[in-house]
Amino acid sequence: MTRVFSGVKPTGNLTLGNYLGAMQRWAAVDQHQADALFCVVDLHALTVEHDPARVRRLSRQAASLLLATGLDPELCTVFVQSHVDEHARLSYLLECVAADGEMRRMIQYREKAVRERERGGSVRLSLLTYPVLMAADILAYGTDEVPVGDDQAQHVELARDLAVRFNRRYGYTFVVPRATHPTVATRVMNLQDPASKMGKSEDVGPGIVYLLDEPDVVRKKVLRAVTDSGREVVYDREARPGLANLLEILAACTGGNPSELSGVYESYGALKKDTAEAVVEVLRPVQERHKALCADPGYVEEVLRDGAERARAMARPTVDAAYRAIGLLPAAADIEVAAQG
């Protein structure tokens, strides 16, 4: 089967954008059609100033929400990145293959470094090198496909480049992955600023719908969404980004088409009302399952423990092979195991 890897970073509460842009497809499609791994990438949360207790809380919440959205541990592997040492082991090897210029050209590094400096903070080295860790996340598992939004495509390209470079220099070791993109609502935009992604890490405010928002809060945020000048409801991402965002959200929630839906409405108010109710209904089962999982924390811990064991068993052969290929001396224990095998 095709192997798929993707993850969520516990730097903020997960949003409607995370769900419609990625998580919904993971549950509905990817776990059924592929050998799929879904990871809470908690090591990536350490690249900026953070509260350790908050990272732990958000990591638990993210894991619970992955399960609440419909991921089935019998069909896929759900785990936490830091529970599998192979991610960090492989990251350093790939740093020895990557170039400084590649890291500094990464768009997200440039944007986040500017924000850190504007806040008066120092830029951590890990913020520069974390795309290499992301490449390690992908390559350790022999991943074929990485479902991502447009903003993450550059990271998958880096993983591809590093895999090809390593294979050429040291012998074939890694599968070269490819990015895949959902067709609708790839990027859900901020309801108050439709030029910006509905992100979870940096932004707060009424433009972001969180997966655990109460229904009345969801309705209020959608009904107050920014629209565009004019009265006609048309789907035009460039000229009418506010309307386009609402139509894409409604289409993703209902399985419709944004262009076709635009012909159904004669007023912004009616579109907002239907979109608000569609979002509430999409989130309702997720919130109900999340509530049940919170009442049974032992189950979530068991899923993560079993998932880490499965992930470790999948990653270790590839990472060990990379260590041998690049020229590192095998440990005596590894030699004994190989001899016994």
Side-chain angles (χ1 to χ4, degrees):
M1 294 179 68
T2 297
R3 180 161 289 175
V4 169
F5 178 94
S6 200
V8 293
K9 185 166 60 174
T11 50
N13 296 299
L14 295 175
T15 72
L16 179 68
N18 297 123
Y19 181 65
L20 296 182
M23 298 166 74
Q24 186 180 50
R25 177 182 170 83
W26 297 349
V29 178
D30 292 328
Q31 69 171 342
H32 299 284
Q33 297 183 358
D35 181 8
L37 299 99
F38 301 105
C39 181
V40 179
V41 287
D42 54 343
L43 294 176
H44 291 290
L46 311 184
T47 59
V48 295
E49 188 66 30
H50 62 276
D51 174 11
R54 184 171 186 266
V55 171
R56 283 191 290 270
R57 177 178 62 80
L58 290 175
S59 295
R60 293 190 190 96
Q61 183 185 90
S64 297
L65 281 169
L66 285 173
L67 298 173
T69 57
L71 293 184
D72 183 347
E74 298 297 321
L75 298 175
C76 64
T77 303
V78 181
F79 67 105
V80 175
Q81 179 190 32
S82 64
H83 295 177
V84 180
D85 294 343
E86 278 63 31
H87 292 257
R89 289 180 64 208
L90 182 56
S91 182
Y92 180 73
L93 293 197
L94 295 179
E95 285 185 16
C96 296
V97 176
D100 174 78
E102 286 178 306
M103 298 300 98
R104 297 188 185 279
R105 286 194 296 271
M106 301 300 287
I107 295 172
Q108 291 203 8
Y109 167 73
R110 297 205 301 267
E111 293 176 348
K112 291 181 179 180
V114 168
R115 286 198 293 266
E116 283 297 304
R117 293 189 182 102
E118 288 176 347
R119 287 198 290 253
S122 59
V123 179
R124 300 184 179 191
L125 179 61
S126 57
L127 185 61
L128 177 65
T129 60
Y130 89 90
V132 178
L133 175 59
M134 186 178 292
D137 298 338
I138 296 166
L139 299 180
Y141 296 99
T143 302
D144 299 295
E145 296 181 357
V146 187
V148 293
D150 294 339
D151 59 324
Q152 294 292 328
Q154 188 182 33
H155 290 119
V156 181
E157 284 305 308
L158 176 67
R160 290 173 56 85
D161 291 343
L162 294 179
V164 170
R165 192 177 307 156
F166 192 102
N167 289 346
R168 286 176 177 170
R169 289 181 182 176
Y170 306 113
Y172 184 83
T173 307
F174 298 116
V175 173
V176 180
R178 61 185 178 273
T180 59
H181 307 279
T183 56
V184 176
T186 303
R187 296 188 72 186
V188 177
M189 312 308 282
N190 189 301
L191 295 174
Q192 293 298 315
D193 179 14
S196 301
K197 185 180 72 169
M198 187 182 286
K200 67 180 184 300
S201 301
E202 302 291 339
D203 303 321
V204 294
I208 303 173
V209 175
Y210 296 104
L211 294 188
L212 297 180
D213 276 346
E214 294 290 335
D216 286 346
V217 173
V218 172
R219 293 186 182 98
K220 184 180 296 185
K221 289 179 177 179
V222 176
L223 292 175
R224 293 180 178 178
V226 168
T227 49
D228 311 285
S229 58
R231 296 183 178 181
E232 186 180 4
V233 178
V234 295
Y235 179 64
D236 187 330
R237 168 53 73 184
E238 297 299 322
R240 312 287 287 278
L243 280 175
N245 191 35
L246 289 171
L247 288 165
E248 288 186 357
I249 291 172
L250 179 60
C253 289
T254 61
N257 178 281
S259 296
E260 294 175 359
L261 286 170
S262 67
V264 174
Y265 295 95
E266 297 182 356
S267 70
Y268 296 170
L271 171 62
K272 287 183 176 182
K273 182 178 178 180
D274 282 1
T275 302
E277 293 306 318
V279 173
V280 167
E281 289 308 310
V282 160
L283 295 185
R284 189 186 307 280
V286 175
Q287 293 177 353
E288 290 175 351
R289 287 194 292 265
H290 180 262
K291 184 177 180 180
L293 288 166
C294 288
D296 188 8
Y299 170 73
V300 177
E301 292 174 3
E302 180 182 1
V303 167
L304 296 179
R305 183 174 59 253
D306 293 346
E309 291 178 0
R310 289 162 60 183
R312 195 176 302 116
M314 283 187 268
R316 178 160 291 178
T318 297
V319 177
D320 285 350
Y323 268 58
R324 292 191 299 271
I326 206 169
L328 297 177
L329 190 66
D334 294 334
I335 296 174
E336 290 176 5
V337 170
Q340 293 171 1

